[in-house]
Structure formats: C-alpha cells, structure tokens
Amino acid sequence: MLQQTQVSRVLIKYPPFLKRFPDIRSLAVSKRRDVVLAWQGMGYNNRAVRLHTLSKIVFSDHAGVLPSDFVSLASLPGIGRYTANAVLSSAFRKRVPIVDTNVHRVLSRVVSGRKSVTDRLPLSESWDLAGILLPRRRSHDWNQALMDLGATLCTATSPSCPACPVSQVCASAGKLAGPEWKPKRRERSFHGIPNRIHRGRVVDILRNEPMVPMTRLGRLLHPSFSQRNMKWLEALLESLETDGLVRIGRSVRGTRRVSLA
C-alpha cells in the first residue's frame, strides 16, 4: 500500500483491509474481485492484483508464511530490491540497507556536495553507501531515521537545513538551489483527462456495477463518448485486462460487456 501512496491515506485504508483479510491464507483464497473492491480509494489498482497473486504464491509455495530471505522475497510479484529489504528490516529485523526516494536524496546531499535540490547520486552508489554506513546494531532504527529525515526535513524541494540534525556534516547544507524547470511529458489522454485517471474510474465504476456494456461504460467515463471513440476505450480496457483488473466478455448481439476480473 505504501508504494506510491501517502502514509496518511494508508493509515485510513489499512485497518479495514486487514480486518477483511487478516492473514495470507484469507487473502489467497479470496476472489480477485473482492480484493480489488477492498482496495477502493487507494489508486494504482494493479497493486491489489499483484498482492493477491503474491498471497497465492506464498500460500502454495511457502506454507502461507512470508519468506525471510532476499532471494525468495524478490521473486514475488510486486517486490523489488527496496521492498524486499524493507520487509527484511522492518518485519524480520535483518541487518540490510534500505534506499527509497528519501534515503537516496539524503545520502546524495550529505555525502557529496549537491548544487540543486534535484541533483542525485546514481542510485547504485546510494545503495553502496547505505550498506557501508549501516550500523551493526539497531540497523532498523537507522533505516527508519534516514527515511524520516528525508520525509520531514531533507525534503525534495524545500530542505530545512537550519533544523536538520546533520547539517554540520552535510556537504550540501545551505547550498541547494531550487529545482530546474522541465516541461512535463504529455500523457495519453481522452478529452484532456489522462488515461491513468480513466483507468481508475473504470475500476471504480465496475466496483459498483458487476457488469457494464462497453458503450455505456464509455458514456459513464465521458458524456461525449461515441462509437468513433471505441478504439480508444478498447485499448484502455485491454491494458486493464492485461494487468488482471478487468474481464472483457464476448460480444452478445453486438454488445460487449466488461466486469472486474
């Protein structure tokens, strides 16, 4: 849930989700549709699909117990180097480094002088540094402290150098210029609304209605939708189907219906 979502929102959604799925087994034996329904309000719905798939693998291949080694964790869907190490550090108290966006930023600024708030070390170098600096004891607390420092003081655009507890040893303290302006890359959109927003709206619509004709779904997405926009809608739905979020039914009397997978 914490991947690409603010902690404040997760704190609201996590308790009811955990009540609905209190353990890996309950998640694994549930229908994917139920998991996606419970994910409502979190966004990035393909994370719910990956989590559901992960639970099934853990239930079948690991006796329902989340593995405590890096190789096994990293082989699960939706888990990369950062998430695997975060689980090892937080859940199993293993002595491993963690490099998220905040830690990457903090290490880049503290260890080598940066001129701009957007300037960073190569990610691989930050991982190397994190491993070198990791203390032998209380490594979990160290990792949490680095992440908190980046989230609260050494922020992306407005670092609070005077209040920072490591400013005296930071090579970039008081030297960081504002971010350089860069033109935003245009996202694929429909009537000015990015496709990623439409993807989320499709899932929300299907949460409330079990099966919706494709043409009606298009009109629910935008009132000006017409048959000439059907190719756009089909491409959007096919991407959702590829991600395991929706199912496109066969044509019945010239009408195709869509439901949650």
Side-chain angles (χ1 to χ4, degrees):
M1 285 185 173
L2 287 168
Q3 292 175 343
Q4 298 176 294
T5 300
Q6 293 180 340
V7 174
S8 57
R9 183 181 298 181
V10 172
L11 288 174
I12 295 172
K13 295 297 298 184
Y14 182 63
F17 190 89
L18 191 61
K19 185 176 181 180
R20 176 68 178 81
F21 308 105
D23 51 36
I24 290 175
R25 181 185 182 281
S26 62
L27 189 62
V29 300
S30 297
K31 294 180 180 179
R32 179 180 295 175
R33 172 187 173 84
D34 293 334
V35 179
V36 174
L37 286 171
W39 197 265
Q40 186 172 12
M42 288 292 299
Y44 298 100
N45 294 290
N46 53 352
R47 291 179 301 170
V49 174
R50 287 198 296 266
L51 180 61
H52 185 235
T53 304
L54 178 151
S55 69
K56 287 182 173 294
I57 295 172
V58 172
F59 185 59
S60 62
D61 297 353
H62 300 280
V65 179
L66 196 69
S68 59
D69 66 281
F70 178 84
V71 173
S72 297
L73 280 172
S75 69
L76 297 172
I79 295 186
R81 185 179 184 182
Y82 159 70
T83 302
N85 275 19
V87 170
L88 291 173
S89 176
S90 298
F92 299 107
R93 293 299 193 267
K94 296 289 184 74
R95 184 177 176 270
V96 293
I98 296 177
V99 178
D100 68 347
T101 301
N102 290 316
V103 174
H104 187 198
R105 183 169 60 250
V106 169
L107 293 179
S108 296
R109 292 173 178 175
V110 171
V111 176
S112 59
R114 305 284 108 181
K115 296 181 179 180
S116 167
V117 291
T118 58
D119 197 10
R120 301 281 189 278
L121 286 170
L123 184 58
S124 60
E125 289 187 24
S126 286
W127 273 105
D128 291 341
L129 273 172
I132 293 170
L133 297 173
L134 194 68
R136 293 190 176 277
R137 296 181 179 180
R138 299 183 65 185
S139 58
H140 167 261
D141 292 335
W142 170 268
N143 286 329
Q144 292 297 318
L146 279 179
M147 289 190 286
D148 287 347
L149 182 62
T152 60
L153 294 176
C154 195
T155 58
T157 58
S158 303
S160 301
C161 295
C164 180
V166 298
S167 61
Q168 292 185 351
V169 296
C170 178
S172 304
K175 303 175 184 177
L176 296 168
E180 299 178 4
W181 182 85
K182 292 182 179 180
K184 289 186 178 181
R185 186 173 60 182
R186 294 186 65 181
E187 298 182 58
R188 296 189 65 180
S189 62
F190 178 69
H191 283 278
I193 301 173
N195 278 4
R196 58 183 172 83
I197 302 297
H198 287 299
R199 282 171 54 95
R201 291 182 63 192
V202 166
V203 175
D204 285 340
I205 290 169
L206 296 177
R207 281 189 173 108
N208 297 315
E209 297 186 44
M211 190 170 290
V212 181
M214 194 178 289
T215 302
R216 181 168 181 271
L217 181 61
R219 292 184 183 131
L220 289 172
L221 290 174
H222 200 281
S224 65
F225 179 86
S226 64
Q227 282 297 123
R228 64 183 179 183
N229 307 126
M230 187 58 73
K231 286 188 177 180
W232 166 81
L233 180 59
E234 288 175 346
L236 186 77
L237 294 175
E238 285 170 3
S239 70
L240 286 167
E241 189 173 47
T242 299
D243 289 343
L245 283 163
V246 307
R247 181 179 293 111
I248 304 173
R250 295 181 179 179
S251 178
V252 178
R253 296 179 182 176
T255 301
R256 303 181 75 186
R257 295 176 179 270
V258 185
S259 63
L260 288 179

